[in-house]
């Protein structure tokens, strides 16, 4: 596996690759888990060559967020990626990505204001900006994103469409631990007791899903059920429980065919998100 740290080197490699090969790209912030590796495996299936980036992007963290303590373990990540036969690891430093005088940002309006955007001001602008830069550096034909970060996925899809970027976005399903907890690098912050409490997020999603499958369409009632479910978990603080349109992310009043049920909550000092698409079986 080639490790590339400089933008120019990555760009000239990408130019050479593109002459004959389809490039698949998995952008990450490192501290890899099975969720990331599932994106890598999808890329290996679809593309001739897979590039993974590891970059903890400072501009997508707010001033009081966890940029400093975000988990990092380069050697472990490198070993995992080598085992997956990744071709190139792009691993730039902050000064390489945002040199002195950096001034340009990408903002996808409206979609970024809902769900996590209500509390994480500037987060999605930071994400869209770094992903746009990475696309210009890695020049992929395909880029892989997990549905766990559903709003991020929709923002990237919108950006690619609006800015006519020549890349296909491939959405990949959320990978869960055996007991249902969605995989996240931030799970490493949880104590065993917090980990146990975190499992209730998936419990609430499943509870609402079965109520929906029984015929309940009213969003207020569905959300109330999730609130009731989570209220009994000591030390769990709900940030939001929303049911929104799967494309626009606007709040729904009733779920007819489909809707995205999304939850964000705090367990101690850890913020966790998860979601599930509620879809009526058309059979
Ligand atoms: O999902 C992530 O890990 C990050 O938001 C991403 C897409 C790598 C951009 O920094």
């Amino acid at each position: 596996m080639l490790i590339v740290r400089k933008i120019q080197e990555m760009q000239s490699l990408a130019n050479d690759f593109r002459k004959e090969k389809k490039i698949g790209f998995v952008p990450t912030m490192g501290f890899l888990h099975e969720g990331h590796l599932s994106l890598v495996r999808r890329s290996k299936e679809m593309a001739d060559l897979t590039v993974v980036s590891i970059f903890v992007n400072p501009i997508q963290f707010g001033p009081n967020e966890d940029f400093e303590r975000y988990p990092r373990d380069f050697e472990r990540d490198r070993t995992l990626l080598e085992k997956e036969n990744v071709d190139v690891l792009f691993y730039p430093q902050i000064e390489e990505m945002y040199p002195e005088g950096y001034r340009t940002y990408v903002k996808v309006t409206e979609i970024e204001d809902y769900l996590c955007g209500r509390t994480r001001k500037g987060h999605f602008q930071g994400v869209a900006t770094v992903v746009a830069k990475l696309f210009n550096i890695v020049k992929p034909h395909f880029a892989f994103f997990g549905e766990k970060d559903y709003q991020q996925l929709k923002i990237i899809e919108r950006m690619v469409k609006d800015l006519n970027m020549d890349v296909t976005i491939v959405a990949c399903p959320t990978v869960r631990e055996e007991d249902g907890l969605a995989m996240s690098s931030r799970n490493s912050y949880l104590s065993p007791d917090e980990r146990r409490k975190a499992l209730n997020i998936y419990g609430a999603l499943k509870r609402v899903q079965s109520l929906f499958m029984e015929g309940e369409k009213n969003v207020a009632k569905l959300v109330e059920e999730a609130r009731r479910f989570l209220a009994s978990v000591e030390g769990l603080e709900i940030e939001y429980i929303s049911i929104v349109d799967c494309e626009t992310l606007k709040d729904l009043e009733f779920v007819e065919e489909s809707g995205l049920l999304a939850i964000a909550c705090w367990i101690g000092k850890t913020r966790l998100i998860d979601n599930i698409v509620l879809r009526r079986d058309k059979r």
Side-chain angles (χ1 to χ4, degrees), residues 217-220 223 242-261 278:
K217 293 178 176 184
N218 186 311
V219 165
V223 167
S242 299
I243 301 182
V244 298
D245 180 275
C246 293
E247 287 308 311
T248 64
L249 305 190
K250 285 187 182 161
D251 282 327
L252 292 175
E253 265 182 68
F254 295 93
V255 193
E256 297 299 341
E257 292 309 320
S258 66
L260 177 83
L261 166 61
L278 304 174

Side-chain angles (χ1 to χ4, degrees), residues 27-30 36 53 55 57 60 70 123 126-127 130-131 134 145 149 152 156:
T28 82
M29 298 208 298
H36 297 112
S53 65
F55 179 62
N57 175 34
Q60 70 184 73
Y70 195 83
H123 167 67
V127 170
V130 80
V131 172
L134 289 166
F145 291 85
D149 295 307
Q152 165 171 288
I156 302 300

Side-chain angles (χ1 to χ4, degrees), residues 69-82:
R69 70 177 192 123
Y70 195 83
R72 293 161 172 91
D73 190 340
F74 179 73
E75 285 311 321
R76 177 179 162 278
D77 289 347
R78 184 227 287 250
T79 309
L80 286 170
L81 295 176
E82 269 168 352

Side-chain angles (χ1 to χ4, degrees), residues 14-32:
N15 285 338
D16 287 346
F17 292 151
R18 278 186 77 95
K19 288 183 191 140
E20 292 178 11
K21 291 185 162 46
K22 295 278 186 212
I23 304 176
F25 177 44
V26 181
T28 82
M29 298 208 298
F31 213 71
L32 306 175

